[in-house]
Structures are given as structure tokens and as C-alpha cells.
Amino acid sequence: MSILLKCLFLLSLLLISSPYTSKSRFADAQEDTGDPSVSEKFEMGLNIFHGSQESDGGSNTWFQEVSFGVFGGNDNEDIETDYLGSWKLDNPNAGVAAMQLQLMPNNKVIWFDTTALGPSALQMYQPPCPKSFENETIEDCFSHAVEYDIETAKVRALKLQSDPWCSSGVLAPNGDLVATGGYNKGIRVVRIISPTPNSEFKEVIDVLASNRWYPSNAVLEDGSYVVVGGRNSFDYEIIPPDTTQFQKQLFGFKFLVETTDKTPDGRPIENNLYPFLFLLPDGSTLIFANNRSIIFEPRSAKVIRELPVLPGGSRCYPSSGSAVILPLELGQDNSENVDVTMLVCGGNSHDAFILVEDLNDPQKVFAPALQDCGRIVVTKQDAQWEIEQMPSPRLLGDMLVLPNGQVLIINGAKKGRCRLGERR
């Protein structure tokens, strides 16, 4: 098992864990090379957000593009190296594509793919096979979910009936992976798998109060979790922890109606799917959808405060920017008043969806992605967005808070929007 892959999995675990940490150390800003070819060489490489530094002229923010970074050394400087790392083939065929992936507390990785696109590369049964849950006229001999051991690279096929295509999920406080919604018959399903030996998904059909295709989840302070939105679902619901037997709690959410764009002829453009969702230290919840954000109390549906609009375009699916909460500074003197900063990067224009909507149209336009990031202290009453630029446009990127407090932005596309064949 390569050290690099292990590190990436550990960093993924850090991403889903609490952002509470001590004050981070920011690296020195990279000097301007003056060479316009530099950004061209690394346009789709890594972006490192170094944070901010106070100066006489105010707060300056910067990014650095790197092909690979190694951080360490003493408190005053980073280690500089030309070594780019190396890859080792861990498993030649794990069998199932990782549409969604979660590192579990037992160092096993659970991932799964849609069941709607035919066989995977991992056969689970010999004919005659069980009938497909989604289509009872066909047999399904293949696995669509696996457990992967990051220490041994061994794969264990998992049973998965309902289609989790474009579902959502959380890692529960007890270590369970809880996945919600999906496609077709899976659209109101809750799937739970625990980090125990030989565990399998427990799937509860039609337990959700509303259809959940492209929703978002967040764990609340009592261990419950909130499931927000989805296609044509302008509402949210709260699911209690450690049970699949519960009374449905559905709340209408006007904010999702307000953040739905429209075409010139009045058709809806759902630029607010997979909204960014974060639990705040006071127990309230922050949601960012399309280009707007509010702080609300999930159990009462009360809107506590609306934040300023982030200009530039749409940031959520299908324009698919990304967002993180920057590390929090905790101390005895601020335990009741913690500043929380959200960083939102990339995305695309509000009309990127309709410009590329017809897959067969030779004239379709792949709109250029947004190149900016917005940063705001969401806990301040009069906060405003601070805007900085990434080295290159980006949508469909992944953001990861590193152990030193910096933010890694990796992957993605420079044009189009999120859907098969609609980005470049």
C-alpha cells in the first residue's frame, strides 16, 4: 500500500471531521515569475490557498499552483523539494467505480456506484441471479458497492438493491455511514452500513418524507442529521440518529424556491442542487445555495440571518463550485464567540446549464468556469465577501483542508457544467 494513497485517505478523513484546530501557519507568498506560461503549464494542477496576511494596506490573500507539495520542517519554513512523489498500483481492478466514497473509522473504505447503468466489473452471483430491485424484468449478477481494505487492498463485494445515483450521506457520530436518497426506487431510501466485520447495507425503502435526488446532509449537534433539497424538493427533513424507525419531520424551505433560476421562457434552472451545508458552533446551520446563503435553525425553520449575495455566478450543482469552512481558532477567551469563515471557489454562470443542455447540438457552448473565490466570516453581522482569484478557472473541483490549515483545490474542469459530456 503506497504511503501517498494512505495519506490521501487520511486527508479525506480530516475533511469530514470537525474543522476545529489551532491557528494555522501560512506559507510565504510565491514570488511572481513574470512568465505567462507558468499558469498554462499547471492550469489543471493543484491550487493551494495560503490564507491571509495582515499588512499596512489591509488583508492580502494568495494562491500558489504546485504539482506536488511536501509540508514540514520547523515552525519557520516549509521543506522545498523537486520530488513529485510516485504512484503504486494498489489493486488492478476493484470492480466498482467510486461515484461516492467514504473512509470508515475501521480503515476500510466504502464506495458505491449507480445500479442504473448496467453491469460493473465485479460479478457477485452466478446465473440464475437475483432480479434487479429497480427493474424486475432483468437479472443483476453484479455488485455495485464494495468495501476496500486500505492496508491489504482486498475488496469485498457489498449487496446494494436501491439505486444511490446522486444521493447524499454523512458519517454518523457512531461511525455508521448513512446514505440518503438516490434515483428511481432509491429516491426515498435510507441506507446504513456500520464499520463492523462483514457488515452489509441495511436499506429502508420509502422512509424519507420527500424525494431526495441531489440533496445535501449535515450532522446536527445532537447526532441527528438534516437532509436538504434535491430535484423539485423545496424542503428539508430531520432524521434521528441510530434508528430507521421514526416519525417523518418535513419542513418547507422557501429559500430553495428563491435560489432556483429561470430561463428566459420561464423554465426552472436548478442551480441550487447539492447545496453547501455546515453546522455552526452555536448549533445553527449554514446553507449556501446557488449564490446566496442563510443561517437558519433547522428544528424551527427560523431564518436567523441572510448573508450578502456572492457575485459572479452560480456555485452549486450543476455549476459545481466547492466550499469549505476554514479552521477555527479556539481558546478560553473566545469559547462563546468563535469566528467562522466560509471559502467558496469556482462554479459557472447562471446560464451555463442551458448553453450546453442539448448533448446532440453541435452548436452547444461550454461556458468558461469561474476563476474567483469568495471568503466571508459568516458569524459577523456586517460581514462582506472578500474576493480573490485562483490561477485558473475551475468547476467540479474538490477542496480539502490540510493539517497545516491550508486548503488544497484539486481536479475539475475549466468549461461547461456537471453532467455526462457537458464539461471540458
Side-chain angles (χ1 to χ4, degrees), residues 13 23 31-32 40 60 75 97-98 101 108 135 142 159 163 189 197 205 235 242 274 281 303 350 353 357 370 418:
L13 181 60
K23 186 174 182 179
E31 293 183 359
D32 184 7
E40 296 173 3
N60 298 319
D75 290 338
L101 178 151
K108 304 291 177 62
N135 184 350
F142 296 86
K159 300 174 184 177
D163 193 347
V189 171
I205 310 300
D235 47 42
D242 306 328
Y274 279 144
V303 176
H350 292 280
F353 176 93
E357 184 175 13
L370 302 179
C418 181

Side-chain angles (χ1 to χ4, degrees), residues 208-258:
L208 296 176
S210 187
N211 293 343
R212 300 297 173 199
W213 195 26
Y214 300 92
S216 293
N217 296 18
V219 178
L220 302 180
E221 58 182 344
D222 66 349
S224 300
Y225 54 99
V226 59
V227 188
V228 179
R231 297 206 65 181
N232 299 311
S233 295
F234 306 104
D235 47 42
Y236 68 88
E237 55 192 295
I238 297 176
I239 311 299
D242 306 328
T243 181
T244 55
Q245 305 297 322
F246 52 86
Q247 184 176 358
K248 296 176 181 179
Q249 303 178 67
L250 187 65
F251 300 81
F253 205 22
K254 186 173 68 172
F255 176 70
L256 294 178
V257 178
E258 297 170 346

Side-chain angles (χ1 to χ4, degrees), residues 302-408:
K302 177 184 177 181
V303 176
I304 299 172
R305 188 169 73 257
E306 181 167 359
L307 280 64
V309 173
L310 176 58
S314 177
R315 311 290 176 160
C316 295
Y317 184 97
S319 292
S320 297
S322 48
V324 293
I325 294 296
L326 297 183
L328 307 183
E329 296 183 21
L330 300 180
Q332 294 181 350
D333 57 343
N334 72 339
S335 59
E336 300 297 325
N337 186 24
V338 179
D339 286 340
V340 179
T341 300
M342 175 172 58
L343 179 69
V344 181
C345 292
N348 211 321
S349 61
H350 292 280
D351 61 352
F353 176 93
I354 57 176
L355 291 174
V356 74
E357 184 175 13
D358 187 352
L359 289 174
N360 299 314
D361 183 2
Q363 303 301 319
K364 61 185 177 182
V365 176
F366 295 90
L370 302 179
Q371 192 168 341
D372 63 349
C373 290
R375 189 169 56 130
I376 189 169
V377 181
V378 302
T379 47
K380 288 189 175 180
Q381 293 284 342
D382 57 350
Q384 298 294 319
W385 289 98
E386 298 179 18
I387 307 299
E388 54 258 10
Q389 298 296 315
M390 295 183 289
S392 62
R394 193 178 298 264
L395 62 103
L396 278 168
D398 296 304
M399 296 178 73
L400 182 68
V401 179
L402 300 176
N404 62 357
Q406 296 175 357
V407 177
L408 172 69

